[in-house]
Amino acid sequence: WKVREAMERGEQYGLEHPFTMQSTNLQDGGRFDTSKLQVPRLQKLLEEVDDPAEKARLETSFKAVRSRPRFMHIDLGLTNDSAGMAMGYVEDYVTVARRNEEGNEYQIRLPIVVIELMLEIKPPHEGEIEFAGVRNLVFELRSYGYRIQKITYDSYQSVDSVQQFKRAGIDAGYVSADT
């Protein structure tokens, strides 16, 4: 239910699934729909608008959206399991009240995270997920102007991808989503 609630909140922000399919095998023609990706969509609107006041408003919005660092996690699968990737950014922070083990209340500042992309990558029929294809999706997002600051993987089969992202100047490492 929490995922569904989060998706509904995303719709309230004007977010739409930016891939032409919610699940792909990277060989089925699925692709990013740039009209639904925030950065290229705002850039296109900015190029098309003539009104100076509207252009100034859009330019402020575009700079804010483009400058936000993006964080990604990729969980690889090969033949029997799907892979998954997600990308998000910190929209703001909120202070919330919590209780420790002794029951004492304390305040903590937590991020409000907007998830712009969640994608399932299924293995093709009687085939394997091409990890290079998964990496190419990340580089494609980067080519659209997304500032990808960090990518994490679980450790399964990810050494090569982590190395390649580091060579490309993207901080990459390991975080287990299972523990």
Side-chain angles (χ1 to χ4, degrees), residues 13-132:
Y13 274 95
L15 297 176
E16 297 179 72
H17 198 286
F19 205 77
T20 56
M21 313 170 163
Q22 291 195 13
S23 181
T24 181
N25 65 20
L26 302 177
Q27 299 173 4
D28 51 18
R31 61 180 173 70
F32 285 112
D33 180 346
T34 56
S35 71
K36 294 179 181 175
L37 285 165
Q38 287 191 80
V39 171
R41 182 181 70 224
L42 285 171
Q43 186 170 11
K44 186 173 191 258
L45 285 171
L46 190 58
E47 292 167 359
E48 294 173 348
V49 73
D50 291 326
D51 177 54
E54 179 66 7
K55 192 170 196 84
R57 186 191 68 76
L58 278 172
E59 192 166 291
T60 300
S61 180
F62 173 70
K63 286 179 181 176
V65 167
R66 186 171 181 183
S67 69
R68 289 185 181 118
R70 279 8 187 239
F71 301 89
M72 297 186 76
H73 182 75
I74 299 172
D75 190 350
L76 293 174
L78 188 60
T79 54
N80 296 325
D81 290 332
S82 293
M85 69 184 321
M87 179 177 75
Y89 63 88
V90 175
E91 173 77 18
D92 202 352
Y93 288 86
V94 63
T95 301
V96 296
R98 295 287 165 104
R99 293 196 182 276
N100 62 19
E101 288 115 19
E102 292 83 37
N104 300 321
E105 188 173 292
Y106 65 96
Q107 303 289 315
I108 187 169
R109 193 168 178 245
L110 297 173
I112 298 171
V113 177
V114 175
I115 301 298
E116 290 177 282
L117 167 70
M118 289 191 326
L119 183 63
E120 177 186 26
I121 304 162
K122 294 181 177 181
H125 181 68
E126 296 185 22
E128 298 176 340
I129 294 171
E130 292 184 24
F131 296 159

Side-chain angles (χ1 to χ4, degrees), residues 124-168:
H125 181 68
E126 296 185 22
E128 298 176 340
I129 294 171
E130 292 184 24
F131 296 159
V134 177
R135 283 192 303 270
N136 287 340
L137 292 175
V138 174
F139 288 123
E140 185 177 351
L141 287 166
R142 197 177 189 198
S143 77
Y144 294 135
Y146 285 94
R147 201 175 118 216
I148 299 172
Q149 183 166 327
K150 183 162 183 95
I151 300 173
T152 58
Y153 279 86
D154 62 357
S155 61
Y156 178 74
Q157 300 282 333
S158 59
V159 172
D160 182 60
S161 293
V162 168
Q163 290 171 347
Q164 290 202 33
F165 285 131
K166 285 182 176 181
R167 275 195 296 275

Side-chain angles (χ1 to χ4, degrees), residues 1-10 118:
W1 295 105
K2 292 291 182 186
V3 171
R4 183 71 205 146
E5 288 174 17
M7 291 171 66
E8 288 171 1
R9 280 195 307 272
M118 289 191 326

